[in-house]
Amino acid sequence: MSPAELFSLPFMQRALLAAVFTGLAAPAVGTYLVQRRLALMGDGIGHVAVTGVAIGLLTGTSPTWTAVVVAVLGAILIEVIRERGHTNGDVALALLFYGGLAGGVLVTGLAGQSAAGLQQYLFGSITTISPGDVLVTIGLAALVVVVCVGLAPQLFAVSQDQEFARVAGLNVRLYNVMVAVLAAVSVTVAMRTVGLLLVSALMVIPVATSQQLTRSFRTTLGTAMLLGTLASVGGLVIAAFASYRATVAPGPTIVLLSLAGFVVTWPIGLWLRRRARLKEPFPGLDPIEHEVTDEHPHDHGPDCGHAAVPHGDHVDYVHDGHRHAPHGRHYDEH
């Protein structure tokens, strides 16, 4: 089958649309999770969403919407545990990991189905996505992208330094919950593309790859969204053509393609950072200014009792939080 014939198939067109929007949304919210050092939060929410899918199977309703509701509740719960509880963030994530997956398998059994029925949600099944699921994916992904890009200054400030954001007048709790809810929505958006067990990879790996090549936050955000889209579409197309010779699942192919991108850019990032250090060894330090003063309450010397610091062709003496250097009849202070 030629590429033109493959892309003319309705199921392939639906899969490409889902891949594009998933590739845009997952790295967008993943950028903020990486900034907050919560890269595995998407994985924890994905495990909770398994219970949501199982509830959908039990009640006969759409597993996508039940997964959205349960994932959002789980994301809010983890924020409450992190903020008010005495439990560390990684312990709260572990609770979600085990509780969510165990609950999903248990409820699936109550629905009269085996755990194998969850496989298309655990590892993705983008080529079987229905037109209704495509519309839901596009709508939710567009919402995530608009909020992540439109509120980038506020979300970045809260993710980078919460004390500074609080002093600046931002509602830190509201924005923290917002990031958690966006992560939950992204997980369910990517559920049919890469699966609940692999969704965290699409949220984190494009961001890590982008950080190898960029230095500013906005550039990292934009590049991560571009890389996520290329990996999603590229992995889907590679899996489609490879399926003529073997059984190749799109979800794992998308993740492995993302990892390949990181492996390629990692040495480039090392070279770029080394080049930047050589060009500007101490970018954050301003030149030390010397201030000349004529008066000083006491004389400095080897027996004055203050710490002596060799400085060029003379010696500075440290006291009261600054350094004095006797130069002839005056002192330099710095």
Side-chain angles (χ1 to χ4, degrees), residues 269-289:
L270 286 178
W271 177 74
L272 289 175
R273 288 189 289 274
R274 183 175 182 275
R275 183 185 177 192
R277 285 196 301 271
L278 294 176
K279 184 178 180 181
E280 191 176 1
F282 305 104
L285 297 179
D286 295 328
I288 298 177
E289 297 292 340

Side-chain angles (χ1 to χ4, degrees), residues 6-8 32 65 120 122 156 172 227 246 282:
L6 178 65
F7 294 139
S8 65
Y32 299 105
W65 284 113
Q120 61 176 318
L122 295 179
F156 172 74
V172 173
L227 292 174
F282 305 104

Side-chain angles (χ1 to χ4, degrees), residues 41 45 72 75-76 144 176-186:
M41 186 173 183
I45 296 174
V72 168
I76 295 174
V144 171
N176 279 336
V177 172
M178 186 180 295
V179 171
V181 171
L182 290 174
V185 173
S186 299

